Amino acid sequence: MKKIAISTTLPLEILLATQCEIVDLNNRFVTSPKASEWLSQAERSGFPKSLCAWIKGLYSACMAEKPDLFIAVTEGDCSNTKGLNGILAHQGIPVLSFRYPQDNTPENLESALKQLATDLSVDWADVLEMRKRLENVRLLGIELDRLTFETNQVTGFENHLWLVSFSDFDGNLEAFEEKLTCFIAEAKTRPAMKQTVRLAYIGVPPMTADLYDYVESVGAHVVFNEVQRQFSMPNSLSAKTLAQQYAEYTYPYELDGRIEDIQTALQTRQIDGVIHYTQAFCYRALDDVILKDVLPCPILTIEGDQATSLDGRTKLRLEAFIDMLREEGQ
Amino acid sequence: MRILGLDLGSRQVKLVYMIDGAIALKKAWHTATFYRNFCGPSDKENELGISLEALGIEKADLLVSTGYGRNNTNLKDFLAINELKAHSLGAQFQTGEKDFVLLDVGGQDVKVMRVASGQLTDMNLNDKCAASCGRFLEQMAEILDMPLDEMTSYVAEPVSLSSTCAVFCESELIGKMAEGFSPETLAAGVNASLFKRLEPMLNGFEHEHLWLSGGVAKSTALKKHLESIYPRVTPLLDATYNGAIGCCAYGMTVQTRR
């Protein structure tokens, strides 16, 4: 089976219709025991210190995976992926660019999606069939999320891990669906979590996934993982067309859509505070200025770089923030 | 009621001992000296025992600790609170005020806290960088071969230092010395550089009155710089011991609840 590696969430309905194995290199990188080594490897190859760790991780993960094709999202995500594509092509890896149109009308999306299908030699009828095939797993994603914020039976970390895996279904849709079904059945038998402070996690998924266990240990429950939830396409069942579904997907476009999505969650999920994660050297750190201004609750911004576990300072900040929210709530 | 408060800082460990709400004893040690002379393994794993006797404390009803080691150091029989809580409580105890902004500049970290109606309502902490902290000043004083107290008093005609990194600032400073700038203007440059790094952290923390704590609160130059953005800037009377005082203040609330 041929292997397609990707740089972030892409329209999986099209990619899976190719019958290839899909690998989101971010997931491969961040869960790899070699993550630190891969970062050093990229730096030895000339990637500057002052560059986002994710790009370096993607590069080394791609060199290790040696996919038959690498698709980078070069618009609607970090523009460093353009440079990355250039380097990978230079190293002999076939590459393709996908651009989320910045004017995200369904018409523009329709044309971008059809172009991707053409580039991958996929029949549009097969794409639509795949969309139908994914309905069940998308529903499971919604249920998992509900068990996180409504019944408090799923931890913030579990929510993060499952939803972030929706970008490639761990490379095996059937197995993923089965595992998630079992997980949900088991989670429903659990007692509700006891943490009293309810947090939203916004921004790109963290390099430091131990963040979730840490906030839990100091009394908080992450009930909303903004971008990870977007990766799972919770709107796919309500969107009439695939183009509409990807036009409503908030991550690649201007901040307004993300703000609306976050504000809805803050209300419906009774959230006390927000953790905004930014990645060192990422343009998305600028969003922080606006988010702090418009979101109606306390925000703690934390920055991650290369480390895959939280440092003492960040722990202190998280703890103090949660302490503060708890006292406000009393 | 006897309460012992310990602030485990990156440069110093500070101790405050209160009897019935009044400070009976204050002491500080170099951090390494403190761990070496007074601490040892306890009967539990990942826990450190402290000899109160060696510290000169006869009896304490409650032991409270805070500091850089809050997440790493588990002191036997101590109740651990986070630094922000300790500092905000310490400032309330010392000033009697319930609404203020506190800037704490320690050896390796900077904290800004807003306290409203006696509650911590907002805070900001520096990132992993020492260029805005006390350690930076110590290093620069060493390079200038000038006592720290003297160096932190110069404000006029600062030499412009552009390095964003404390380590590179050393070589920049040496370069400026070689260019013939006077020690006073170089010292003023160091103080201006510290302020330049602190200023963005104070965004959103506007207030009538800014209190200062931590070792760097002694810097008269920093006070003058801060007066350009705050109507009133006052170092706490016990700026260095504020965290340990906050521990005792917290202990008092615990005792009251009991």
Side-chain angles (χ1 to χ4, degrees), chain A residues 127-275:
Chain A
V127 172
L128 295 182
E129 200 174 305
M130 186 49 75
R131 184 171 186 232
K132 207 144 184 61
R133 165 68 186 86
L134 294 182
E135 274 180 12
N136 181 56
V137 75
R138 302 256 190 240
L139 268 173
L140 291 175
I142 293 170
E143 178 63 359
L144 172 95
D145 202 26
R146 187 186 72 81
L147 295 176
T148 314
F149 72 87
E150 203 174 285
T151 64
N152 305 311
Q153 287 166 302
V154 168
T155 67
F157 176 69
E158 290 165 336
N159 179 284
H160 151 79
L161 196 63
W162 281 108
L163 295 184
V164 87
S165 304
F166 269 72
S167 62
D168 63 358
F169 299 121
D170 286 344
N172 186 336
L173 173 61
E174 284 72 25
F176 180 85
E177 203 167 36
E178 201 180 308
K179 273 194 271 178
L180 181 52
T181 309
C182 293
F183 174 80
I184 287 175
E186 181 270 318
K188 281 182 171 168
T189 65
R190 298 177 182 177
M193 292 170 61
K194 298 216 161 28
Q195 283 74 3
T196 51
V197 174
R198 295 169 70 83
L199 295 177
Y201 174 95
I202 67 171
V204 293
M207 284 284 281
T208 49
D210 59 335
L211 174 141
Y212 292 95
D213 284 345
Y214 183 72
V215 301
E216 238 171 69
S217 75
V218 289
H221 177 27
V222 175
V223 296
F224 179 60
N225 281 304
E226 185 226 348
V227 170
Q228 295 91 322
R229 177 176 166 274
Q230 283 294 320
F231 288 170
S232 76
M233 301 286 146
N235 68 330
S236 68
L237 299 155
S238 61
K240 286 199 183 76
T241 61
L242 194 63
Q244 192 190 338
Q245 177 185 320
Y246 283 97
E248 288 171 4
Y249 171 47
T250 61
Y251 179 72
Y253 312 116
E254 283 178 12
L255 199 54
D256 305 13
R258 285 185 55 203
I259 290 172
E260 203 184 314
D261 181 44
I262 297 166
Q263 276 176 331
T264 308
L266 293 182
Q267 267 191 352
T268 55
R269 302 183 185 210
Q270 292 107 41
I271 286 163
D272 303 305
V274 173
I275 296 173

